[in-house]
Amino acid sequence: MATQAAPDIGYIHALGRPALPVAVPLLALALLLYWINPVGYVGGGGDDWQYLIASECWAAHGACLPHDHWWARWPLVAPMAAAIAVFGEGRTALALVPLLYSATVLLLLARIVERVAGRTPALVAGCALLLTPIFAIQLARPNIDHPELAFLLAALLGWIEAVRSGQRRWALLLGAGLAFAMLARETSAVFVAGAGIAFLCAAPAQKRVLVWAAPAFALPLAAEMLAYFVATGDPFYRLRLAFGHTRIPSTELASWVDTSRSAFFNPEFIAGWRAANGIEAHWTVKPVVNLVTHAEIGLTLLAAPLLLAATPRKVAAAGTGRSLLPALLVLTAGAGLVFTYALGLDPKPRMFLPLAAAASAVVGVATVALWRERRRLVPAAIALFFIPSALLCFAGTPGISRAERQAALWLQEAGPLVTTNETARRHLAMVPAARALPVDDESRPLRLAILWEGCTVDGESGASVIRRASLQAGEWAPVAWLRARSIGLHPEAGPWLCLMRRAAPGAR
């Protein structure tokens, strides 16, 4: 006779006391990671600079008409503007909204897995996502990836609860979640299409409930289109900005790519994006190879299918709804392929956070299932490799806050003599004196720069480095110890803050 698996009564329980909510340890771990390495705003060539200046405009003038696709992402920009208006411009204000979205992602993922498989798998799934470096690095950094994922997870929770309970309010959450995910970033249209296909395949009784998602989806989109029609006469103004994003100059795209052509199904774009992990290969496999080998996300993506393959079929199928998670893994992987090969988007790890979330959910369910079946070798081996590697990648990711403090000190002494370049000015946007520096002013003898491969003068005859500061100083002690011994980290990795004396006019 087959034995019935013991119910999951929680990971912390004792003599009638209720189990500790999953949210408590997950949020505690998130705060610990933030304390270890609060990357936050980085700027430079990153998207967070775009969100900063858009938020400043909103804070100063109210809703600003976007002039590119970054400014159009108001589900991030609007609350960031509110934070700046309330708390003033600084790292605290810029970190607040990303932290709230990150916490929302964790809580929604845990809730979904808990509804499907129980508390303990939910805890493991949340920890797996938190220990996926690309998620942890952006905990407090302005980004659109976490808001989009939060809305997608809200939509998924709405679907699950609507099907289970038959209540229309959950269908409304489904529709609103998909709508706001679209308003955050247009790539969510792929998931909207997936939801539409799933709706067509649903049972008639489920359709009668899920159909209420339609008005909740349509109303927010219609309201934005009406606002753009009033402001510009073009209800599709946002889409025009989105489709034109590939024409914006980018150092991530090879110069030989013809950006006047559409990126859709265009092998030039697929091949032309800089390899995320530095592995050059044929365009048909280059994005996938770089993704699964990337330290910021690859381990999570590989762990999920390995654990799933090791889980006996009867165990994997146990429990109502558990088959949903592998299906989500396939759906998000398919969406990633559409992003990369159909839309021609830059295949950086952050674009695949929905896939990482689905993989984390599978990791949580499969790990707990294998452990309870006493098949512990595979999950233990993966954990022993996964956890140290993930922590090292995350903790070794450099930030800019130390550069800001050092730059402020140097500029107190030599401010009138210093110029900078646009990239450094964006890096140092939180330092008023640095942001006010003239860019590429040939009349000033000193140049302030942030460089990632050490301070150099680029072969300029007569130029010299007069001050340099490695911004590794003060990083987490275990990471500094490993870096000094070249264990998993390059000892000279940036960033470096450099103050250089320019060549005198006429020097050879």
Side-chain angles (χ1 to χ4, degrees):
M1 179 181 295
T3 59
Q4 186 174 2
D8 182 6
I9 59 176
Y11 50 90
I12 297 179
H13 61 281
L15 299 177
R17 286 190 296 177
L20 189 66
V22 177
V24 175
L26 284 181
L27 294 179
L29 178 58
L31 290 174
L32 174 63
L33 292 177
Y34 178 65
W35 175 76
I36 289 173
N37 191 12
V39 176
Y41 175 84
V42 175
D47 290 355
D48 47 357
W49 159 258
Q50 305 292 343
Y51 302 134
L52 169 62
I53 57 174
S55 301
E56 290 173 340
C57 181
W58 277 61
H61 308 292
C64 295
L65 185 68
H67 56 77
D68 57 39
H69 62 292
W70 293 295
W71 283 52
R73 293 166 177 172
W74 61 264
L76 172 66
V77 170
M80 279 182 59
I84 291 174
V86 172
F87 299 105
E89 189 165 310
R91 283 196 164 267
T92 300
L94 294 190
L96 180 60
V97 173
L99 282 171
L100 290 175
Y101 271 123
S102 300
T104 302
V105 168
L106 285 173
L107 298 182
L108 286 171
L109 177 67
R111 179 59 177 166
I112 289 167
V113 178
E114 184 177 1
R115 292 291 285 145
V116 170
R119 290 175 180 268
T120 308
L123 175 64
V124 178
C127 290
L129 182 60
L130 259 177
L131 292 175
T132 302
I134 189 56
F135 180 80
I137 289 167
Q138 297 192 122
L139 280 174
R141 184 176 183 181
N143 70 91
I144 200 59
D145 313 295
H146 290 194
E148 180 188 32
L149 180 56
F151 291 124
L152 289 174
L153 289 174
L156 177 58
L157 180 62
W159 179 289
I160 292 172
E161 297 292 358
V163 168
R164 288 193 173 192
S165 69
Q167 296 179 352
R168 295 172 181 174
R169 60 191 177 97
W170 292 109
L172 296 177
L173 176 63
L174 163 63
L178 290 175
F180 279 93
M182 281 274 291
L183 294 173
R185 184 161 56 192
E186 297 78 5
T187 51
S188 286
V190 176
F191 296 102
V192 173
I197 295 171
F199 172 78
L200 295 176
C201 298
Q206 295 175 350
K207 287 181 180 178
R208 285 194 289 271
V209 178
L210 295 173
V211 72
W212 286 91
F217 174 74
L219 286 175
L221 297 177
E224 187 192 64
M225 293 174 68
L226 178 61
Y228 280 133
F229 178 75
V230 171
T232 70
D234 181 5
F236 301 104
Y237 180 77
R238 180 196 180 101
L239 290 179
R240 187 154 52 84
L241 294 176
F243 289 145
H245 81 279
T246 55
R247 295 183 175 86
I248 299 174
S250 172
T251 57
E252 298 298 306
L253 189 63
S255 58
W256 47 262
V257 176
D258 183 1
T259 57
S260 65
R261 297 175 56 198
S262 170
F264 290 0
F265 299 98
N266 189 337
E268 277 194 13
F269 278 86
I270 302 169
W273 290 114
R274 180 187 294 180
N277 204 30
I279 301 174
E280 295 298 336
H282 191 268
W283 69 267
T284 55
V285 296
K286 175 181 171 182
V288 176
V289 169
N290 279 273
L291 186 68
V292 299
T293 59
H294 203 292
E296 293 181 354
I297 196 173
L299 290 176
T300 304
L301 301 186
L302 293 174
L306 287 174
L307 288 166
L308 202 58
T311 306
R313 184 174 300 177
K314 66 181 182 65
V315 176
T320 303
R322 287 196 181 188
S323 60
L324 171 69
L325 300 181
L328 288 175
L329 190 62
V330 173
L331 171 64
T332 52
L337 293 177
V338 172
F339 296 159
T340 303
Y341 293 98
L343 304 183
L345 301 178
D346 186 3
K348 294 293 187 290
R350 63 183 182 81
M351 290 296 300
F352 299 89
L353 272 184
L355 176 57
S360 298
V362 170
V363 166
V365 174
T367 296
V368 174
L370 287 168
W371 203 262
R372 288 173 177 163
E373 289 290 312
R374 300 186 182 279
R375 298 170 179 253
R376 298 173 178 174
L377 180 60
V378 173
I382 289 177
L384 287 174
F385 182 72
F386 176 88
I387 294 175
S389 300
L391 286 174
L392 184 61
C393 177
F394 163 70
T397 300
I400 297 297
S401 57
R402 299 183 190 97
E404 293 170 350
R405 294 191 292 270
Q406 193 66 60
L409 292 174
W410 289 357
L411 291 175
Q412 283 180 359
E413 302 174 7
L417 303 176
V418 181
T419 185
T420 189
N421 58 27
E422 181 61 24
T423 299
R425 191 179 75 88
R426 294 182 179 188
H427 278 308
L428 299 171
M430 295 294 99
V431 182
R435 193 167 178 180
L437 288 176
V439 174
D440 298 327
D441 184 349
E442 298 290 336
S443 67
R444 297 196 174 195
L446 303 181
R447 178 165 65 94
L448 184 70
I450 289 181
L451 302 173
W452 296 81
E453 300 296 334
C455 297
T456 65
V457 294
D458 301 324
E460 186 179 355
S461 177
S464 61
V465 178
I466 60 173
R467 286 190 182 180
R468 70 183 75 199
S470 171
L471 303 176
Q472 299 158 7
E475 68 183 350
W476 196 39
V479 175
W481 186 90
L482 292 170
R483 191 187 298 281
R485 291 158 180 79
S486 300
I487 301 175
L489 295 168
H490 195 284
E492 299 297 330
W496 287 73
L497 185 68
C498 313
L499 188 63
M500 294 173 280
R501 186 177 298 278
R502 302 163 63 88
R508 298 178 61 85

